[in-house]
Amino acid sequence: MSDRWLTPMDAIFLYGETREVMMHVASLLIFTPPKDARPDFLRSLLDELRGSREIYPPWNLRLRTPEFLANPLHSWVEEPDIDIDYHVRRSALPAPGDERELGTLVSRLHSHAMDFHHPLWEVHLIEGLEGGRFAMYFKVHHSLVDGFTGSRILARSLSNDPDDRTRPMFFSIPPPEGAGSPADSGDDAIAAFRAGFQKQLESARQVGRELRDIVTGHKPHGVTPYEAPMSILNGRVSRNRRFATQQYQLERVKTLARRAGCTLNDLVLALSSASLRRFLMELGALPADPLIAMIPVNVRPKDDPGGGNAVGSILASLATHIADPVERLKVIRESACQAKEQLHGMSREAIIQFSALQMLPFAFQHVTGMSGRMRPPFNVVISNVAGPKETLYFRGARLDACYPVSIPTHGQAINITCQSYAGTLNFGFTGCRDTLPRMQRVAVYTGEALNELEQAVG
């Protein structure tokens, strides 16, 4: 089997790996067991998962050079002998097993770096959650999959039928056709390289034209890197993580968005803005200038099977200098619209190139070790991922919530990611526990911001 070469975007997540900055992401899934579950339900589930012998790509791929993460020619190689006991683990919560205890355990699990000598994923089954529930913490390195692919994996691994109890786990499902293949060789490889080079060259021309239009005023200028103020959100981080969650009914948030004349994404930014504004005001650390958010943008077509990383990005103001919640939302909406207008008419490759140009200051700071020591290109990453719309089940257990767990880095001490699922909107707040004291308050304040906006909009 030939090597599978990493894309430049995939490799960036390996180059960025340090002792304090760990480039893995995760999902926290909370389940209610079926009514007919036996007392040993979770033990039986664990034995079944550990008994799996068919492991398909990308879950059987490991780095060819795990000791050399700075390798400019990284590739994946298939591991013929997977140690499934290493990848599938079991944990238990101390009584009473509430959300706080679960958050503490997930914070600790997320603080541990991955072993690059193995395929870069782990599954932790967590028992002892109050109400007889259990959780699954699924951890994977960002060089292996992006958020879009992770969402697709979730949809393929679970079932919308509570009586379907035979569906295999994600690592035992063959990848869909077109999800990626080993590198070509010979004439095919040369032809593929020429075609790819020609496409990138045309994309570079397109990006040049778009930049010209922005500079000359034919397109909205939008927010540019280094408009972001200095903030305690942008200090250096340790390896210790803190994780907090919030869940809201999706229809409630959509109704508010309709009344306010904005999109769901605009409202996610507004709730995050209000929460961060209050959090920083309480610490006496709110900058006079507005915080700037970097917002990842999925650029895959609807029928794309996923795999690797394919995301663009935009920058938008969070208007944290404005006290009035309605006026703040208006400015956020206008800023986000301007940013999206910059990408209008670009091809997928051009959007990725344009986004890479915007991210150059961030990459430069990270490579030179200046992240967290100088003015940041943006203050916070805020993502909104569309998840499954139907209620899903795993071995008859109902999935109640799905929370994203993301990556704090030097210069970006908190990450806010939310995912919709079965009529709910699930926020995951991942931060550095040493840089940001009492970070869990950011999660709580989004709920109070939602109440405030509902009252203000009327």
Side-chain angles (χ1 to χ4, degrees), residues 337-397:
C337 284
Q338 284 185 336
K340 286 182 281 190
E341 182 62 25
Q342 290 179 335
L343 304 184
H344 182 71
M346 291 190 193
S347 67
R348 165 181 162 173
E349 291 77 14
I351 290 175
I352 293 175
Q353 285 191 15
F354 182 81
S355 302
L357 285 175
Q358 288 198 118
M359 293 300 105
L360 274 179
F362 176 74
F364 174 78
Q365 287 188 6
H366 191 73
V367 169
T368 59
M370 295 305 296
S371 295
R373 295 190 172 101
M374 60 183 295
R375 186 168 183 168
F378 48 86
N379 298 108
V380 61
V381 178
I382 303 177
S383 307
N384 183 17
V385 181
K389 296 181 179 180
E390 299 178 304
T391 301
L392 298 177
Y393 300 84
F394 182 60
R395 297 298 184 273

Side-chain angles (χ1 to χ4, degrees), residues 254-283:
K254 285 185 173 180
T255 297
L256 177 57
R258 288 193 295 267
R259 290 177 178 171
C262 67
T263 67
L264 178 63
N265 286 336
D266 295 336
L267 205 51
V268 167
L269 294 177
L271 297 180
S272 301
S273 170
S275 176
L276 291 172
R277 171 184 161 84
R278 179 175 172 184
F279 176 71
L280 293 176
M281 286 182 66
E282 290 180 347
L283 295 176

